[in-house]
Amino acid sequence: YKHFSRVQSVAWYRQNWAWVFEYAQTDIEENTYMLVSPTNDIVPGRGARTSEKYYLQTEYVFSENINLFGRYEVGYRDKNDRDGNYYTSATGKKYGYYSKDIAVGFNWQLDDWLVKTEFHRIEGNLINSSTDNDPADLKKWWSMFLFQISYQF
């Protein structure tokens, strides 16, 4: 298994606004078989493929301590098979090979404490590991809520 990644980023800042766009491709060479089927069928890797991800994020800074952000992110396991047709015959679920994520979040810094929240509405399951999740249980549309409190010392 070999890979090589390329990432391009651009950011624009103006007064209280920040806009960031990032695009990444990873060339992957697979020499092994992959277990991706809910029926435990072994599906061969495609040999060489290129994964693709990009996102656009905007952030508004209300004050030195409070900001709000929104992000749209897309990822494909194989940029030449964006709807997952190659692997669908084994898994029956095209949405396991891409993800489209809309997220909003809020950060609040209070002295040495940081409170962060994010809500994601996601189509597809590219970011879900089949090792940690039963592929039969994964849904096309799903949501994620994240909450974090951290202390800096």
Side-chain angles (χ1 to χ4, degrees), residues 11 20 26 29 31 46 64 84 99 101 119 128 138 140 152:
V20 179
T26 302
E29 185 179 322
N31 297 320
R46 288 187 67 155
E64 183 177 299
S99 64
D101 179 357
F119 176 77
N128 291 326
L138 298 176
K140 181 176 181 178
Q152 180 179 345

Side-chain angles (χ1 to χ4, degrees), residues 59-60 62-63 65-70 103-109 114-119 145-148:
E59 179 179 353
Y60 185 79
F62 289 98
S63 70
N65 301 339
I66 299 172
N67 65 36
L68 177 70
F69 76 88
V104 292
F106 175 81
N107 299 332
W108 179 40
Q109 180 81 44
L114 176 62
V115 177
K116 299 180 88 169
T117 63
E118 293 182 25
F119 176 77
F145 178 75
L146 307 168
F147 180 78
Q148 176 185 4

Side-chain angles (χ1 to χ4, degrees), residues 11-144:
W12 181 71
Y13 301 93
R14 173 95 175 162
Q15 295 176 349
N16 292 10
W17 288 95
W19 293 83
V20 179
F21 176 76
E22 188 167 279
Y23 179 83
Q25 287 187 341
T26 302
D27 296 328
I28 301 168
E29 185 179 322
E30 298 168 327
N31 297 320
T32 61
Y33 285 81
M34 299 175 300
L35 184 64
V36 295
S37 170
T39 58
N40 293 325
D41 294 331
I42 294 179
V43 180
R46 288 187 67 155
R49 65 181 167 84
T50 302
S51 68
E52 178 179 57
K53 286 190 95 174
Y54 57 89
Y55 73 86
L56 175 64
Q57 178 171 304
T58 186
E59 179 179 353
Y60 185 79
V61 178
F62 289 98
S63 70
E64 183 177 299
N65 301 339
I66 299 172
N67 65 36
L68 177 70
F69 76 88
R71 178 174 56 244
Y72 179 68
E73 182 173 344
V74 177
Y76 300 103
R77 185 176 194 283
D78 185 341
K79 76 172 191 167
N80 295 315
D81 185 29
R82 289 184 173 170
D83 46 359
N85 288 326
Y86 179 81
Y87 297 97
T88 300
S89 60
T91 65
K93 295 184 177 182
K94 291 183 178 186
Y95 52 85
Y97 303 96
Y98 70 89
S99 64
K100 297 176 181 177
D101 179 357
I102 296 175
V104 292
F106 175 81
N107 299 332
W108 179 40
Q109 180 81 44
L110 183 60
D111 298 322
D112 294 330
W113 292 91
L114 176 62
V115 177
K116 299 180 88 169
T117 63
E118 293 182 25
F119 176 77
H120 296 253
R121 183 67 177 148
I122 304 165
E123 177 188 1
N125 289 281
L126 178 67
I127 64 173
N128 291 326
S129 166
S130 60
T131 303
D132 299 326
N133 301 281
D134 182 351
D137 292 337
L138 298 176
K139 307 291 184 224
K140 181 176 181 178
W141 286 95
W142 57 286
S143 299
M144 177 170 51

